[in-house]
Amino acid sequence: MFTILGARAAGRYGRAPPALLTRPREMSSVPGSFDLSYTEARSPQPAPARLVSVSVGTPPERYTQQQVLDWFGEQNPKIRKLFHNSHIDSRALYLPPRENGCVVEESHQQLIDKHLAGVLELAPPAIRQALEPLGVAPDDLDFIVCVTSTGFLCPGISARLIQHMGLR
């Protein structure tokens, strides 16, 4: 999981923020709907986005491609070839438990629960690690972008982290 942070206090990174963003405007043509395109209050051109800090959170256990193949008992030559020719040396994973030498089948809900538990374990320390060298507090965050190749959560990871960490 990669956590990328943007902060309001851009002045701490070498220049002041270009302007504040305006609030959404109610659209007159459709009552109760809003125009969610934000515009800058003092500048016709939006400031370019800048990456100010990156931190990584991964599960503590790492496995080689061969270990993953062995864990699941994969014998299909095409799949084995794909794993061995992927240029991936290792993966950090939460693998399913084994009982009597066999991988325990996990339900869809168990996979979602495991994914969420992993996110809530790994992401807060990664966020703090990204903020610390910048001298930025969690309350300074305007947004969190989370990228993962595992699972689908609704509400999404960002919303869950905002709630879990007490962000605004």
Side-chain angles (χ1 to χ4, degrees), residues 155-166:
I157 292 173
S158 297
R160 304 280 185 127
L161 284 170
I162 288 167
Q163 180 184 29
H164 179 74
M165 295 182 68

Side-chain angles (χ1 to χ4, degrees), residues 16-21 40-43 47:
L20 299 175
L21 299 176
E40 292 198 25
R42 291 181 264 162
S43 172

